[in-house]
Amino acid sequence: MKVVVIGGTGLIGSKVVARLAEHGHEAVAAAPGTGVNTLTGEGLADVLQGASVVVDVSNSPSFEDEAVMVFFRTSTANLLKAESEAGVGHHVALSVVGTDRLQGSGYFRAKRVQEELIKASGIPCSIVHATQFFEFGKGLADGMTEGDTVRVPDAKIQPMVSDDVAAAVSRTAVGAPVGGVVEVGGPEAFQLEEFIRMALAAHNDPRRVATDPQATYWGAELTENTLLPGPDAHIAETRFADWLAQQK
C-alpha cells in the first residue's frame, strides 16, 4: 500500500519510511524539504493521491506556547481535510504518553488539540502514545538546567529508543485502525533524576542533577507516575544500558 509519512525526513519519520519500504510498501517521505508543507497546505493534494494510510510524526519547529498551538491546530486541520478529499482510509499520529495529564504545558495542550481534531475527523485513526526517547535525555536536561544544575521533578520515566518507536508506528500503520490510543514504552522505569544523570554521563557532561519538588516538565507539574504508560501498553525490548553501550 501507499503510506505517506508526514515528517518523513526526521528522526522517527525516516526510520518509519525505511521500515515500511523493507516490507514492500510504497512509503513516501513528506516534509517541507520534499515540497510538502502541512502548515500552508503546499503539496498535500498531490502527495496524498492514491494513499491508503497517512502517518503523521511531524513536530513543531518552535515549542513556544502560541507557536506550537498554531502548528498542531493548523497543520492537523489541513492534513485531515486533504486526507478526506483524497479518500485516505487510516490516519496514524505519534503523540506522547501522559498527554492528557500534562496540560500545564503549552506543548501538551497543543498535542491534545491535535488528538481531538483527529478523533473528530471521521477518518479511521490510530494514535500512538510513546514514552520519551533515549536520544532526548540530554535535551530534557537542557530544558531543566539552572546554572550548572539540572533540577528535575520527583517522578518516574520509562523511556524507549527511537528505533522501537518507529517499529510501533510502522506496525500500527499497516494494521487495522484502532479508533483511539495505543501506548508503547521502554522495558524499564527509572527515576527521572537517574535517567538524566546516565544520559549526561554518556556525553561526559559535568552538570549536577538534583531532584526538586518544585521543578516542572515543560511547564507541567508531575506526580510519580504521570509519564508512565498503563498496564496495557506494548513494552519494547531495547534497554537503556544496552543502547548506551552501543553509542560508545
Side-chain angles (χ1 to χ4, degrees):
M1 68 179 84
K2 179 179 178 180
V3 183
V4 175
V5 182
I6 306 296
T9 58
L11 174 65
I12 301 298
S14 59
K15 295 176 186 292
V16 171
V17 168
R19 281 181 174 271
L20 291 172
E22 286 172 3
H23 288 85
H25 300 288
E26 180 188 354
V28 181
T34 69
V36 179
N37 189 325
T38 54
L39 201 53
T40 65
E42 175 191 2
L44 276 178
D46 288 341
V47 78
L48 293 183
Q49 286 185 9
S52 299
V53 182
V54 168
V55 174
D56 185 5
V57 294
S58 63
N59 209 352
S60 173
S62 168
F63 281 17
E64 187 274 325
D65 284 4
E66 183 177 354
V68 75
M69 181 64 79
V70 168
F71 176 84
F72 281 116
R73 177 180 282 134
T74 304
S75 63
T76 302
N78 287 340
L79 182 56
L80 292 169
K81 180 176 182 293
E83 287 178 37
S84 179
E85 293 170 351
V88 172
H90 188 187
H91 179 99
V92 179
L94 177 61
S95 194
V96 186
V97 163
T99 288
D100 58 331
R101 303 187 291 270
L102 293 163
Q103 292 302 293
S105 161
Y107 180 83
F108 291 103
R109 287 195 295 273
K111 289 298 288 184
R112 186 165 72 173
V113 166
Q114 177 192 29
E115 293 184 18
E116 289 171 347
L117 288 170
I118 293 166
K119 291 174 183 176
S121 71
I123 298 171
C125 68
S126 303
I127 299 172
V128 179
H129 273 195
T131 55
Q132 185 58 261
F133 307 165
F134 292 167
E135 289 89 343
F136 291 167
K138 185 175 183 298
L140 275 182
D142 293 344
M144 294 185 280
T145 296
E146 296 178 8
D148 62 355
T149 301
V150 185
R151 301 191 181 280
V152 304
D154 185 10
K156 291 182 178 178
I157 193 167
Q158 196 166 325
M160 60 190 298
V161 72
S162 61
D163 287 335
D164 289 342
V165 178
V169 171
S170 301
R171 184 172 60 247
T172 304
V174 299
V178 301
V181 172
V182 293
E183 288 190 325
V184 294
E188 305 164 286
F190 302 95
Q191 286 299 130
L192 191 53
E193 178 180 337
E194 180 186 10
F195 172 62
I196 297 295
R197 184 177 287 115
M198 289 188 292
L200 293 182
H203 288 89
N204 297 313
D205 190 315
R207 280 178 286 179
R208 188 172 75 90
V209 185
T211 294
D212 180 350
Q214 304 303 314
T216 62
Y217 186 85
W218 304 116
E221 295 181 1
L222 301 184
T223 63
E224 183 178 42
N225 296 326
T226 300
L227 303 178
L228 299 184
D232 296 328
H234 175 85
I235 301 303
E237 295 183 358
T238 308
R239 299 168 67 88
F240 188 43
D242 295 336
W243 177 79
L244 285 176
Q246 294 169 3
Q247 308 310 302
K248 296 177 181 179

